[in-house]
Amino acid sequence: MLEKSEEKAEIVAEKPQEKLPSNHFTDTDLQQEWQKFLQNLQSDDVIVFNAISSFRIRKKDEDIIEITYPSDSAKSEFEKVRADFFNHFMHKVNHYNIKIEYRNDVTLKKEIVTKRMLFDKLAAINPVLNELDELFKFDFNS
């Protein structure tokens, strides 16, 4: 008796899959909502804004949006706010079957150019600047 077990087959009633609306939207709609989202994000969370402000979002197909990102760390920051943006956007355009494709593009990285880097670049063009730097002790910290 103890080794005998009763197995009940669990019957799960399948719900008929709902057809969600898929209204047409343009790339302009997408760009406008992205810019509004970035403006709101700039005031709410500056760190995430700085990480994702260089993203390029475009409509690739009727149901596909392509997101081009500069680095994996920026993509992970985007994942924090992705649901907020796309939930709002899908409600706005009444299109609920959007798929997202990611593409890495290193050329989108923003490099902060310091005064020292700018001086070194100009000194490579004109070596006399190095002599002037030694003579006058230029301060590039400010």
Side-chain angles (χ1 to χ4, degrees):
M1 265 311 207
L2 293 175
E3 292 177 11
K4 198 175 184 182
S5 65
E6 292 183 28
E7 292 183 20
K8 289 185 179 179
E10 188 174 326
I11 301 172
V12 178
E14 288 188 21
K15 296 178 184 175
Q17 195 173 20
E18 289 183 48
K19 279 232 166 204
L20 296 173
S22 295
N23 291 349
H24 174 73
F25 67 94
T26 63
D27 192 47
T28 306
D29 296 333
L30 181 63
Q31 298 304 325
Q32 287 175 346
E33 290 304 314
W34 178 245
Q35 292 305 319
K36 288 178 187 175
F37 178 73
L38 285 177
Q39 287 175 353
N40 292 338
L41 192 63
Q42 187 174 17
S43 61
D44 295 343
D45 192 350
V46 176
I47 295 171
V48 176
F49 169 78
N50 288 331
I52 70 171
S53 63
S54 63
F55 278 39
R56 298 290 169 251
I57 295 182
R58 71 178 186 93
K59 180 180 177 184
K60 188 174 180 180
D61 197 16
E62 189 60 35
D63 293 339
I64 299 172
I65 293 178
E66 182 181 64
I67 299 174
T68 308
Y69 62 95
S71 67
D72 290 330
S73 60
K75 182 182 174 188
S76 67
E77 289 294 324
F78 176 70
E79 290 298 323
K80 295 177 183 176
V81 294
R82 178 181 59 92
D84 295 337
F85 173 70
F86 282 107
N87 286 340
H88 171 73
F89 181 71
M90 287 189 280
H91 282 80
K92 175 96 174 174
V93 296
N94 201 23
H95 188 104
Y96 296 92
N97 298 314
I98 294 176
K99 294 175 186 65
I100 304 166
E101 289 182 359
Y102 291 95
R103 188 168 59 92
N104 191 347
D105 187 2
V106 190
T107 59
L108 294 177
K109 282 189 179 178
K110 292 182 183 176
E111 183 179 345
I112 299 173
V113 180
T114 63
K115 291 180 181 181
R116 173 50 74 178
M117 292 168 65
L118 182 61
F119 176 80
D120 290 340
K121 184 177 177 182
L122 292 174
I125 296 170
N126 188 353
V128 175
L129 290 176
N130 284 326
E131 294 174 19
L132 288 172
D133 182 35
E134 290 173 13
L135 183 64
F136 291 110
K137 306 284 187 227
F138 293 139
D139 180 21
F140 296 109
N141 294 329
S142 58

